[in-house]
Amino acid sequence: MGEYEHILVKRENDTVTITMNRAARRNSLSEEHLRELHAAFQAAGQSDATGIVLAGAGPVFSAGHDFGDVAARDLEGVRSLLRLCTDLMRTVQSVPQVVIARVHGLATAAGCQLVASCDLAVAAESAGFALPGGKGGWFCHTPAVPVARAVGRKRLMELALTGDPIDAATALDWGLVNRVVPDEQLDEAVADLLGRATRGSRASKALGKATLYAQLDRPEADAYAIAVEVMAAASQTPDAREGMAAFLEKRKPNWG
């Protein structure tokens, strides 16, 4: 899936693992790093894989934007960088595969944004999460967008205004992650949740993921309007027909 400088990409069976590999820079997100992540997710999205794992090498998951890169830019340069980061987050959610974050150590600022943007997240007990801009001079405006949608307004305000980290147990309670496990069980827990989330029809799952994101933040009436039309149309697809036939005939489905 290509050669990269800042990330590692591995395909094993139906799963692509994308690992941020700038441990010396705490997996901070420079422009080059963001571009490689974006390219890797696009490539994985176009493959026949069913799941994507996003991980980080070294002691932390990701420390967010690389200030060395940001500080050297003018207004248009920073705007361009943030648009690239936004494109990455949207790509994570638009690829047809289930995307799961494997989180160890700290995930701060845009690193926390990455976790919130993934479909699912499993955290080690050692993990921590923060939007630290509230303690500094550059507020976490863009990282707060997906975090708000995961944790709600009051909890977002606490994260963003204090800048203080929360531990993995709190992140679980707040809805930022799906599971928290002992560090030594992290890979096993990621594989288990991803395996359960990717079973069934790949085509049905891809349409389902896209529709969930399309209706998620809409008013209820609009959400139902979207869901009714998509679900009705989906009932006519080969995989839906096969799934219903298999259920009625009490046999295992044969997905196309």
Side-chain angles (χ1 to χ4, degrees), residues 103-108 112 115 122-131 151 155 158-159 162-181 183:
V103 190
H104 72 290
L106 284 172
T108 61
C112 190
V115 175
V122 177
E125 290 176 343
S126 65
F129 305 84
L131 299 179
V151 305
R155 288 162 172 171
E158 182 175 340
L159 276 167
T162 68
D164 292 334
I166 58 173
D167 60 19
T170 303
L172 177 64
D173 181 57
W174 287 11
L176 187 58
V177 301
N178 298 87
R179 303 279 187 281
V180 173
V181 297
D183 287 43

Side-chain angles (χ1 to χ4, degrees), residues 6-244:
H6 302 295
I7 64 174
L8 302 172
V9 180
K10 180 179 70 173
R11 170 79 183 255
E12 187 173 356
N13 299 319
D14 290 328
T15 300
V16 174
T17 299
I18 300 172
T19 303
M20 295 177 282
N21 193 35
R22 298 186 77 210
R25 298 286 295 172
R26 297 170 64 84
N27 293 324
S28 58
L29 301 172
S30 65
E31 179 180 1
E32 294 78 10
H33 191 182
L34 286 168
R35 289 196 183 282
E36 289 190 1
L37 284 170
H38 190 236
F41 269 100
Q42 286 182 313
Q46 293 166 8
S47 75
D48 63 352
T50 59
I52 301 172
V53 176
L54 177 63
V60 304
F61 179 78
S62 174
H65 285 293
D66 187 330
F67 278 9
D69 187 356
V70 176
R73 293 171 178 266
D74 60 11
L75 172 60
E76 185 52 42
V78 176
R79 183 181 288 129
S80 175
L81 183 71
L82 294 177
R83 285 174 175 162
L84 171 61
C85 186
T86 300
D87 287 344
L88 169 61
M89 304 301 164
R90 288 177 170 167
T91 299
V92 167
Q93 295 184 344
S94 67
V95 294
Q97 290 84 2
V98 177
V99 180
I100 186 167
R102 177 199 180 277
V103 190
H104 72 290
L106 284 172
T108 61
C112 190
Q113 182 182 5
L114 271 172
V115 175
S117 295
C118 289
D119 306 322
L120 303 167
V122 177
E125 290 176 343
S126 65
F129 305 84
L131 299 179
K135 294 194 291 188
W138 196 34
F139 201 79
C140 288
H141 302 276
T142 53
V145 173
V147 174
R149 285 152 176 77
V151 305
R153 184 163 65 101
K154 294 296 188 185
R155 288 162 172 171
L156 169 74
M157 288 296 183
E158 182 175 340
L159 276 167
L161 296 176
T162 68
D164 292 334
I166 58 173
D167 60 19
T170 303
L172 177 64
D173 181 57
W174 287 11
L176 187 58
V177 301
N178 298 87
R179 303 279 187 281
V180 173
V181 297
D183 287 43
E184 64 273 14
Q185 297 176 20
L186 183 56
D187 288 326
E188 179 184 352
V190 168
D192 174 72
L193 181 56
L194 185 61
R196 290 186 291 113
T198 54
R199 62 193 169 192
S201 161
R202 182 182 186 275
S204 174
K205 194 88 65 178
L207 180 59
K209 172 178 168 175
T211 306
L212 288 174
Y213 280 118
Q215 61 88 9
L216 199 56
D217 296 311
R218 304 287 186 95
E220 186 176 275
D222 292 347
Y224 268 123
I226 293 168
V228 164
E229 287 306 310
V230 175
M231 194 164 184
S235 72
Q236 306 304 302
T237 62
D239 279 6
R241 292 293 189 179
E242 169 62 12
M244 287 184 272

